[in-house]
Amino acid sequence: GQQVMQIPQYQHVQEGEDFTTYCNSSTTLSNIQWYKQRPGGHPVFLIQLVKSGEVKKQKRLTFQFGEAKKNSSLHITATQTTDVGTYFCAGHRSSGSARQLTFGSGTQLTVLP
Amino acid sequence: GAGVSQSPSNKVTEKGKDVELRCDPISGHTALYWYRQSLGQGLEFLIYFQGNSAPDKSGLPSDRFSAERTGGSVSTLTIQRTQQEDSAVYLCASSLSSDSNQPQHFGDGTRLSIL
């Protein structure tokens, strides 16, 4: 079945440093979504990427979708303590049922003040 | 309501008992999903409902797990003869439709602890 791998599993950064999490799928994706889960909270949708090579920005967050639509990344510039949480990518397969999102294992970000 | 509502928020029960978890999706959302999240882990897909179509049960880990959705709205996830490995947070999500470009909106989850 489809697998979505995400690295690193954990990342500790000093406030102000940059952070990147990477997502790789074993199969081509029709789109990829990113979610953020604060400690003790539930996943909250951040963004969706659909096109090959697409890049989207939300303030300090930059999201990329690979040319082959099998990988993606989230980059945070100058992290703040409010960025703390676990970031998940989630992909829909290109073929077969597109109903099921496959989530990566997440990257837990800690920002030290 | 404004968001996805799940109840109970916490459930502690003894091994072997049955439990029922409830999810009330966002009004108007036709797609409903159940996930399981173990401590520090990602989200494991369990089951998906879309309108009146047959549910996608491909993620249910065993026949002790079942779910239904009545009237296309509220859903209940039932776990029979609970085991300790069933301990996890059970998350429900809904989306406007089953189109793959729709974001999923999650509830706060039910934290299930099996003693």
Side-chain angles (χ1 to χ4, degrees), chain B residues 12-24:
Chain B
V12 181
T13 192
E14 293 179 347
K15 176 182 170 181
K17 300 283 189 185
D18 297 352
V19 295
E20 206 171 81
L21 313 180
R22 177 188 167 105
C23 173
D24 201 340

Side-chain angles (χ1 to χ4, degrees), chain A residues 4-23:
Chain A
V4 176
M5 310 299 293
Q6 200 172 343
I7 57 169
Q9 188 175 0
Y10 303 97
Q11 184 78 58
H12 292 205
V13 299
Q14 206 70 37
E15 188 173 19
E17 291 181 339
D18 292 356
F19 158 77
T20 305
T21 173
Y22 301 90
C23 187

Side-chain angles (χ1 to χ4, degrees), chain A residues 51-69:
Chain A
K51 300 176 184 175
S52 169
E54 188 171 13
V55 177
K56 286 188 176 180
K57 292 192 175 186
Q58 287 181 349
K59 296 182 181 178
R60 295 177 294 104
L61 277 62
T62 302
F63 304 83
Q64 289 189 306
F65 201 8
E67 294 291 338
K69 300 182 75 173

Side-chain angles (χ1 to χ4, degrees), chain A residues 44-110:
Chain A
V44 174
F45 175 79
L46 293 177
I47 207 162
Q48 175 173 268
L49 304 170
V50 179
K51 300 176 184 175
S52 169
E54 188 171 13
V55 177
K56 286 188 176 180
K57 292 192 175 186
Q58 287 181 349
K59 296 182 181 178
R60 295 177 294 104
L61 277 62
T62 302
F63 304 83
Q64 289 189 306
F65 201 8
E67 294 291 338
K69 300 182 75 173
K70 294 180 75 173
N71 56 63
S72 182
S73 65
L74 157 58
H75 180 81
I76 303 178
T77 304
T79 54
Q80 300 175 359
T81 54
T82 52
D83 296 325
V84 164
T86 301
Y87 293 85
F88 293 98
C89 61
H92 278 106
R93 286 194 301 270
S94 283
S95 59
S97 170
R99 308 294 184 252
Q100 191 186 120
L101 264 182
T102 301
F103 280 81
S105 53
T107 295
Q108 187 175 319
L109 173 64
T110 301

Side-chain angles (χ1 to χ4, degrees), chain A residues 100, chain B residues 45-49 54-62 65-67:
Chain A
Q100 191 186 120
Chain B
F45 167 78
L46 297 177
I47 189 169
Y48 151 80
F49 295 90
D56 176 355
K57 304 179 182 179
S58 60
L60 294 179
S62 79
F65 288 71
S66 62

Side-chain angles (χ1 to χ4, degrees), chain A residues 9-10 30-31 33 35 37 42-45 48 88 92 97-101 103-106 108, chain B residues 33 35 37 40-43 45 48 50 56 58 91 98-104 106-109:
Chain A
Q9 188 175 0
Y10 303 97
S30 60
N31 61 45
Q33 298 178 355
Y35 291 78
Q37 185 174 23
H42 58 265
V44 174
F45 175 79
Q48 175 173 268
F88 293 98
H92 278 106
S97 170
R99 308 294 184 252
Q100 191 186 120
L101 264 182
F103 280 81
S105 53
Q108 187 175 319
Chain B
Y33 307 80
Y35 296 91
Q37 185 174 33
Q41 301 298 310
L43 279 72
F45 167 78
Y48 151 80
Q50 169 58 45
D56 176 355
S58 60
L91 289 162
S98 61
D99 289 343
S100 62
N101 63 356
Q102 291 295 323
Q104 295 187 10
F106 285 83
D108 287 332

